[in-house]
Amino acid sequence: MAGAVAAALLIAACTAAPPVAPPDFTRLRDFLVDDGLPALEARGVVSFSYRDKSEAGELFLRTGPGADTLIQLHARVTGSLALEVRFDDLRLLVLDYVNRTYYQGDNLSETRQELFSIDLTPEEFRTVVTGRVERRRFEQGHGTLLGPHEASYEIGEERYIFTLGEDGLPLSWVKQHRHVMQVRVEYRGYLDVPSSSGPPVRLPERVRVYVQESKPRLVLGLREFALPGNPPPLTFTLPTEAADFRPE
Protein backbone atom coordinates (compact mmCIF):
# COMPACT_ATOMS: atom_id res chain seq x y z
CA MET A 1 0.00 0.00 0.00
CA ALA A 2 2.81 2.42 0.94
CA GLY A 3 4.51 1.66 -2.38
CA ALA A 4 1.35 2.51 -4.31
CA VAL A 5 0.97 5.84 -2.48
CA ALA A 6 4.62 6.73 -3.16
CA ALA A 7 4.21 5.89 -6.84
CA ALA A 8 1.10 8.05 -7.07
CA LEU A 9 2.92 10.97 -5.45
CA LEU A 10 5.83 10.54 -7.84
CA ILE A 11 3.53 10.55 -10.85
CA ALA A 12 1.76 13.68 -9.59
CA ALA A 13 5.07 15.47 -9.04
CA CYS A 14 6.21 14.68 -12.56
CA THR A 15 2.98 15.85 -14.17
CA ALA A 16 3.47 19.16 -15.96
CA ALA A 17 1.74 22.09 -14.26
CA PRO A 18 -0.96 23.80 -16.31
CA PRO A 19 0.27 26.91 -18.15
CA VAL A 20 -0.17 30.17 -16.25
CA ALA A 21 -2.58 32.54 -17.95
CA PRO A 22 -1.04 35.92 -18.88
CA PRO A 23 -2.21 38.89 -16.78
CA ASP A 24 -5.43 40.55 -17.91
CA PHE A 25 -4.46 44.13 -18.67
CA THR A 26 -7.88 45.04 -20.08
CA ARG A 27 -8.57 47.47 -17.26
CA LEU A 28 -5.30 49.28 -18.10
CA ARG A 29 -6.36 50.15 -21.66
CA ASP A 30 -6.70 53.87 -20.79
CA PHE A 31 -3.65 53.92 -18.50
CA LEU A 32 -1.17 52.39 -20.97
CA VAL A 33 -0.61 54.17 -24.28
CA ASP A 34 0.83 52.55 -27.40
CA ASP A 35 2.26 55.45 -29.41
CA GLY A 36 4.15 57.48 -26.82
CA LEU A 37 2.67 59.75 -24.19
CA PRO A 38 0.38 62.31 -25.81
CA ALA A 39 1.55 65.83 -26.60
CA LEU A 40 -0.56 68.42 -24.83
CA GLU A 41 -0.91 72.07 -23.94
CA ALA A 42 -2.34 73.17 -20.62
CA ARG A 43 -2.98 76.35 -18.68
CA GLY A 44 -3.62 76.77 -14.99
CA VAL A 45 -1.68 77.55 -11.83
CA VAL A 46 1.52 76.09 -10.44
CA SER A 47 3.61 76.17 -7.28
CA PHE A 48 7.13 74.74 -7.08
CA SER A 49 10.63 75.37 -5.75
CA TYR A 50 13.42 76.99 -7.76
CA ARG A 51 16.83 77.41 -6.15
CA ASP A 52 15.23 76.85 -2.72
CA LYS A 53 12.73 79.65 -3.26
CA SER A 54 8.99 79.07 -3.54
CA GLU A 55 7.58 80.13 -6.91
CA ALA A 56 3.88 80.36 -7.78
CA GLY A 57 1.80 81.87 -10.54
CA GLU A 58 -0.03 81.26 -13.79
CA LEU A 59 1.18 78.27 -15.79
CA PHE A 60 1.53 77.52 -19.47
CA LEU A 61 2.70 73.96 -20.21
CA ARG A 62 3.47 72.31 -23.55
CA THR A 63 4.82 68.78 -24.11
CA GLY A 64 5.91 66.92 -27.25
CA PRO A 65 7.19 65.77 -29.58
CA GLY A 66 9.33 63.18 -27.83
CA ALA A 67 10.50 64.43 -24.44
CA ASP A 68 10.32 68.14 -25.36
CA THR A 69 8.73 70.10 -22.50
CA LEU A 70 8.13 73.83 -22.08
CA ILE A 71 7.01 75.32 -18.76
CA GLN A 72 6.27 79.03 -18.36
CA LEU A 73 5.49 80.74 -15.07
CA HIS A 74 3.67 84.07 -15.37
CA ALA A 75 3.11 86.61 -12.59
CA ARG A 76 -0.49 86.48 -11.37
CA VAL A 77 -1.09 90.24 -11.26
CA THR A 78 0.76 91.54 -14.32
CA GLY A 79 0.84 88.37 -16.43
CA SER A 80 4.50 89.00 -17.28
CA LEU A 81 6.78 86.03 -17.90
CA ALA A 82 8.81 85.32 -14.75
CA LEU A 83 10.44 81.94 -15.37
CA GLU A 84 10.74 79.57 -18.32
CA VAL A 85 11.99 75.99 -18.27
CA ARG A 86 12.77 74.00 -21.42
CA PHE A 87 14.00 70.42 -21.34
CA ASP A 88 14.22 67.13 -23.19
CA ASP A 89 16.03 63.89 -22.36
CA LEU A 90 19.48 65.50 -22.65
CA ARG A 91 19.24 69.29 -22.35
CA LEU A 92 17.94 71.81 -19.83
CA LEU A 93 17.50 75.58 -20.22
CA VAL A 94 16.10 77.77 -17.42
CA LEU A 95 15.45 81.47 -18.08
CA ASP A 96 14.90 83.64 -14.98
CA TYR A 97 13.31 86.82 -16.29
CA VAL A 98 13.03 88.40 -12.84
CA ASN A 99 16.73 88.16 -11.96
CA ARG A 100 17.87 88.17 -15.61
CA THR A 101 19.90 84.99 -15.27
CA TYR A 102 19.86 81.61 -16.99
CA TYR A 103 21.05 78.03 -16.58
CA GLN A 104 22.01 76.05 -19.68
CA GLY A 105 23.42 72.53 -19.52
CA ASP A 106 22.81 68.80 -19.35
CA ASN A 107 19.53 67.52 -17.95
CA LEU A 108 21.02 65.44 -15.13
CA SER A 109 19.51 64.03 -11.96
CA GLU A 110 21.75 66.10 -9.67
CA THR A 111 21.00 69.28 -11.66
CA ARG A 112 17.23 68.79 -11.35
CA GLN A 113 17.64 68.16 -7.62
CA GLU A 114 19.77 71.26 -7.13
CA LEU A 115 17.55 73.60 -9.15
CA PHE A 116 14.06 72.32 -8.28
CA SER A 117 14.55 70.25 -5.09
CA ILE A 118 12.88 67.34 -6.88
CA ASP A 119 14.15 64.82 -9.41
CA LEU A 120 11.70 63.92 -12.16
CA THR A 121 12.95 62.61 -15.49
CA PRO A 122 11.19 63.99 -18.59
CA GLU A 123 9.20 60.76 -18.92
CA GLU A 124 8.22 60.80 -15.24
CA PHE A 125 7.09 64.41 -15.56
CA ARG A 126 4.99 63.46 -18.59
CA THR A 127 3.37 60.72 -16.51
CA VAL A 128 2.66 63.30 -13.78
CA VAL A 129 0.75 65.59 -16.14
CA THR A 130 -1.00 62.93 -18.26
CA GLY A 131 -1.63 60.11 -15.74
CA ARG A 132 -0.36 57.64 -18.35
CA VAL A 133 2.57 55.28 -18.94
CA GLU A 134 3.95 54.02 -22.25
CA ARG A 135 2.96 50.38 -22.79
CA ARG A 136 6.46 49.63 -24.09
CA ARG A 137 8.04 50.95 -20.88
CA PHE A 138 5.52 49.06 -18.74
CA GLU A 139 6.17 45.77 -20.52
CA GLN A 140 9.95 46.20 -20.56
CA GLY A 141 9.76 46.81 -16.81
CA HIS A 142 7.92 43.49 -16.27
CA GLY A 143 4.71 45.37 -15.53
CA THR A 144 2.17 43.47 -13.53
CA LEU A 145 -1.09 43.86 -11.65
CA LEU A 146 -0.65 43.58 -7.89
CA GLY A 147 -4.39 43.53 -7.32
CA PRO A 148 -7.62 44.84 -8.89
CA HIS A 149 -6.54 48.45 -8.30
CA GLU A 150 -2.75 48.37 -8.26
CA ALA A 151 -0.10 48.03 -11.00
CA SER A 152 3.69 48.23 -10.92
CA TYR A 153 6.79 48.00 -13.09
CA GLU A 154 10.56 48.33 -12.56
CA ILE A 155 13.29 50.09 -14.51
CA GLY A 156 16.76 49.37 -13.16
CA GLU A 157 16.71 50.11 -9.43
CA GLU A 158 13.51 52.19 -9.68
CA ARG A 159 10.10 50.70 -8.94
CA TYR A 160 6.83 52.45 -9.79
CA ILE A 161 3.61 51.47 -8.01
CA PHE A 162 0.26 52.90 -9.17
CA THR A 163 -3.05 52.91 -7.30
CA LEU A 164 -5.84 53.00 -9.90
CA GLY A 165 -9.39 54.27 -9.72
CA GLU A 166 -12.50 52.64 -11.14
CA ASP A 167 -11.82 54.29 -14.52
CA GLY A 168 -8.36 52.65 -14.67
CA LEU A 169 -6.47 55.93 -14.28
CA PRO A 170 -4.16 56.57 -11.32
CA LEU A 171 -5.33 58.04 -8.05
CA SER A 172 -1.70 58.09 -6.93
CA TRP A 173 1.70 56.56 -7.61
CA VAL A 174 5.08 56.29 -5.94
CA LYS A 175 8.63 55.96 -7.24
CA GLN A 176 10.94 53.84 -5.11
CA HIS A 177 14.73 53.53 -5.34
CA ARG A 178 15.95 50.34 -3.72
CA HIS A 179 12.61 50.13 -1.87
CA VAL A 180 12.97 53.69 -0.50
CA MET A 181 10.26 56.14 -1.54
CA GLN A 182 11.64 58.99 -3.68
CA VAL A 183 8.51 60.62 -5.10
CA ARG A 184 4.78 60.37 -4.36
CA VAL A 185 2.17 61.76 -6.76
CA GLU A 186 -1.48 62.33 -5.87
CA TYR A 187 -4.32 63.15 -8.29
CA ARG A 188 -7.26 65.14 -6.94
CA GLY A 189 -9.43 65.02 -10.05
CA TYR A 190 -9.61 64.61 -13.84
CA LEU A 191 -11.16 66.60 -16.70
CA ASP A 192 -12.69 65.30 -19.93
CA VAL A 193 -10.81 67.01 -22.77
CA PRO A 194 -12.34 66.95 -26.29
CA SER A 195 -10.26 65.20 -28.93
CA SER A 196 -10.54 65.64 -32.69
CA SER A 197 -9.51 62.02 -33.30
CA GLY A 198 -11.95 60.22 -31.01
CA PRO A 199 -13.78 60.34 -27.69
CA PRO A 200 -12.78 62.81 -24.95
CA VAL A 201 -9.51 62.15 -23.14
CA ARG A 202 -9.47 62.26 -19.33
CA LEU A 203 -6.49 64.29 -18.06
CA PRO A 204 -5.42 65.26 -14.54
CA GLU A 205 -6.91 68.47 -13.19
CA ARG A 206 -5.23 68.80 -9.76
CA VAL A 207 -1.89 67.13 -9.00
CA ARG A 208 0.41 67.19 -5.98
CA VAL A 209 3.95 65.80 -5.97
CA TYR A 210 5.71 65.02 -2.69
CA VAL A 211 9.29 64.02 -1.95
CA GLN A 212 9.61 62.90 1.66
CA GLU A 213 7.95 65.59 3.75
CA SER A 214 4.24 66.28 4.13
CA LYS A 215 4.37 69.54 2.13
CA PRO A 216 4.19 69.05 -1.66
CA ARG A 217 7.16 70.17 -3.76
CA LEU A 218 5.05 70.63 -6.89
CA VAL A 219 1.36 71.59 -7.12
CA LEU A 220 -0.50 71.78 -10.43
CA GLY A 221 -4.01 73.09 -11.01
CA LEU A 222 -4.83 72.60 -14.70
CA ARG A 223 -8.02 74.06 -16.16
CA GLU A 224 -7.51 74.41 -19.94
CA PHE A 225 -6.20 71.66 -22.20
CA ALA A 226 -5.48 71.25 -25.89
CA LEU A 227 -4.14 68.24 -27.79
CA PRO A 228 -1.97 69.86 -30.50
CA GLY A 229 -0.77 66.71 -32.24
CA ASN A 230 2.85 67.44 -33.17
CA PRO A 231 3.95 70.89 -32.03
CA PRO A 232 7.28 72.26 -33.35
CA PRO A 233 10.42 71.01 -31.57
CA LEU A 234 11.96 73.14 -28.84
CA THR A 235 15.14 75.12 -29.34
CA PHE A 236 17.76 75.36 -26.60
CA THR A 237 19.59 78.52 -27.68
CA LEU A 238 19.10 81.74 -25.74
CA PRO A 239 16.24 83.81 -27.14
CA THR A 240 17.05 87.36 -28.19
CA GLU A 241 15.25 88.86 -25.18
CA ALA A 242 17.65 86.94 -22.88
CA ALA A 243 20.86 87.87 -24.73
CA ASP A 244 22.14 89.97 -21.80
CA PHE A 245 21.17 87.50 -19.04
CA ARG A 246 23.95 86.31 -16.71
CA PRO A 247 24.80 82.57 -16.76
CA GLU A 248 24.26 80.68 -13.50
Side-chain angles (χ1 to χ4, degrees):
M1 181 66 177
V5 172
L9 291 174
L10 181 61
I11 293 172
C14 295
T15 303
V20 178
D24 181 9
F25 291 147
T26 304
R27 64 174 280 99
L28 303 182
R29 62 185 179 275
D30 292 325
F31 171 58
L32 301 179
V33 293
D34 293 322
D35 301 321
L37 297 178
L40 64 85
E41 292 182 355
R43 297 182 184 273
V45 293
V46 64
S47 173
F48 63 97
S49 174
Y50 177 63
R51 294 195 177 276
D52 295 324
K53 292 178 60 178
S54 179
E55 303 284 353
E58 297 292 322
L59 169 73
F60 173 74
L61 167 69
R62 187 177 74 206
T63 67
D68 280 6
T69 303
L70 170 68
I71 300 170
Q72 291 182 337
L73 174 69
H74 294 261
R76 285 177 171 168
V77 177
T78 64
S80 60
L81 181 59
L83 195 70
E84 181 172 294
V85 183
R86 307 179 188 185
F87 62 84
D88 61 12
D89 283 329
L90 301 176
R91 297 165 293 180
L92 173 63
L93 174 63
V94 184
L95 302 167
D96 185 342
Y97 285 87
V98 175
N99 297 300
R100 304 188 68 79
T101 61
Y102 71 92
Y103 170 83
Q104 188 176 36
D106 296 334
N107 190 0
L108 303 175
S109 174
E110 53 267 30
T111 305
R112 297 189 294 265
Q113 185 66 46
E114 179 181 352
L115 293 179
F116 307 110
S117 302
I118 189 172
D119 181 17
L120 289 169
T121 68
E123 188 160 16
E124 290 165 356
F125 182 80
R126 189 76 65 91
T127 294
V128 167
V129 299
T130 64
R132 267 67 169 190
V133 170
E134 280 192 79
R135 182 181 297 275
R136 170 191 58 80
R137 181 175 174 85
F138 187 79
E139 292 176 348
Q140 288 177 350
H142 307 288
T144 186
L145 290 172
L146 304 178
H149 299 289
E150 200 168 58
S152 76
Y153 68 96
E154 298 182 12
I155 301 294
E157 296 181 327
E158 324 303 324
R159 188 184 188 204
Y160 302 84
I161 304 173
F162 292 79
T163 300
L164 307 174
E166 293 298 329
D167 58 0
L169 297 178
L171 300 174
S172 65
W173 59 273
V174 297
K175 171 188 174 181
Q176 296 178 345
H177 179 76
R178 297 181 179 178
H179 305 289
V180 177
M181 194 276 289
Q182 301 293 310
V183 174
R184 183 176 87 255
V185 182
E186 294 181 358
Y187 297 93
R188 304 294 180 91
Y190 284 82
L191 287 174
D192 290 324
V193 179
S195 171
S196 60
S197 59
V201 178
R202 289 180 61 77
L203 291 170
E205 178 183 17
R206 298 186 304 278
V207 189
R208 295 190 174 193
V209 183
Y210 300 81
V211 180
Q212 293 179 340
E213 65 279 355
S214 58
K215 184 179 179 179
R217 289 282 178 88
L218 172 64
V219 178
L220 295 168
L222 305 176
R223 59 177 180 264
E224 298 177 28
F225 287 95
L227 301 173
N230 291 310
L234 281 180
T235 61
F236 289 86
T237 55
L238 285 182
T240 55
E241 62 269 24
D244 61 343
F245 283 18
R246 293 181 294 105
E248 292 278 8

